[in-house]
Amino acid sequence: MTPGASRDPLHGGPSDWEGIVARYAWADSDELDAYTFSVIAGKTVDEVIRAFGGDPEVSWLMTFAEAVEAQASHPYEAYDLLRVLTVGPHVIAIEWGRHGSIPEIARRASAEGGEFFSLHRSVNAGFQVMHARDGRVDGMFDPFEFEDSARTKPEPELPAWAAGVTFHGETLCAESFALMERTMGVAVDDAWLDTELRTARLSSPAELFGQSKTAWLP
């Protein structure tokens, strides 16, 4: 799917959807134990860095592996690294951390007419998909909870923007990335992981939000 393509659920039919999911098979590999990918529309790169808690005036070029190594080698320093690039009108933000999974970040990054979508996978195999528009989170869920959801009573309800998607354990992340592509109209390329991208240091969530609990609530 390319930027500007139709966002209709399962655009082009099931075979097209299955092809998109297959393209994201890398996301379910054991090589990536944790990540957060965010796609933002309606903002500049500098605005996104600020929304995530970084200083756009200070940045480096780093690959994903280099960023992971830098963070892992300083486990007692409360900071994360955010790698960013632009694809057409979209800003892509890639982390080993979790800033993009925090609702308040989604609100800040989508404020004043913007749109935000993030996919988070934790080291403990926790998952989260979140979408926000114009400063308001309109859906946040764990796709794992929707595996075999028809057997759950009461059956959980997906947000309208995720309608028609079925999640399966072995392709959970691939399906989530396909949903990101369908919703935002831009494809995520795993080659970005090995590409040196502009990288900014982020303040920790504790520094950004203090003891506020509302920052973590949708």
Side-chain angles (χ1 to χ4, degrees):
M1 191 176 295
T2 57
S6 171
R7 297 187 184 187
D8 290 342
L10 305 180
H11 173 63
S15 60
D16 282 4
W17 172 257
E18 291 168 3
I20 295 173
V21 171
R23 183 153 40 79
Y24 289 112
W26 56 266
D28 290 291
S29 71
D30 293 333
E31 295 179 13
L32 296 172
D33 62 349
Y35 51 75
T36 305
F37 279 77
S38 304
V39 178
I40 304 96
K43 300 294 177 179
T44 66
V45 173
D46 285 0
E47 288 172 333
V48 168
I49 292 174
R50 291 191 188 96
F52 273 70
D55 180 358
E57 299 300 321
V58 181
S59 63
W60 310 266
L61 292 176
M62 303 181 78
T63 66
F64 184 77
E66 289 171 341
V68 171
E69 182 178 0
Q71 290 176 234
S73 62
H74 298 86
Y76 302 109
E77 293 186 41
Y79 75 90
D80 288 320
L81 294 171
L82 181 74
R83 302 168 62 247
V84 291
L85 73 155
T86 58
V87 179
H90 298 86
V91 177
I92 313 296
I94 305 171
E95 310 169 69
W96 189 54
R98 58 176 179 165
H99 281 62
S101 70
I102 303 173
E104 182 59 25
I105 297 291
R107 285 188 281 269
R108 294 181 181 187
S110 66
E112 300 180 354
E115 186 176 7
F116 178 98
F117 192 116
S118 70
L119 167 58
H120 172 67
R121 175 180 176 177
S122 75
V123 293
N124 299 315
F127 305 95
Q128 179 185 288
V129 171
M130 178 169 58
H131 180 263
R133 187 189 297 272
D134 200 18
R136 185 179 69 86
V137 175
D138 59 5
M140 184 175 82
F141 63 90
D142 179 350
F144 183 78
E145 296 179 355
F146 287 87
E147 184 184 11
D148 295 327
S149 61
R151 301 180 182 179
T152 304
K153 302 299 181 183
E155 185 176 346
E157 185 176 350
L158 283 168
W161 47 266
V165 177
T166 302
F167 294 97
H168 306 84
E170 66 277 8
T171 53
L172 195 68
C173 294
E175 288 158 346
S176 297
F177 271 105
L179 175 59
M180 174 183 281
E181 178 175 335
R182 190 187 79 175
T183 304
M184 300 300 290
V186 61
V188 172
D189 189 343
D190 62 326
W192 298 336
L193 294 168
D194 296 324
T195 302
E196 289 188 331
L197 301 178
R198 181 180 175 186
T199 305
R201 177 169 172 157
L202 304 180
S203 298
S204 70
E207 290 181 69
L208 291 173
F209 310 123
Q211 299 300 314
S212 172
K213 296 181 179 180
T214 59
W216 304 87
L217 299 176

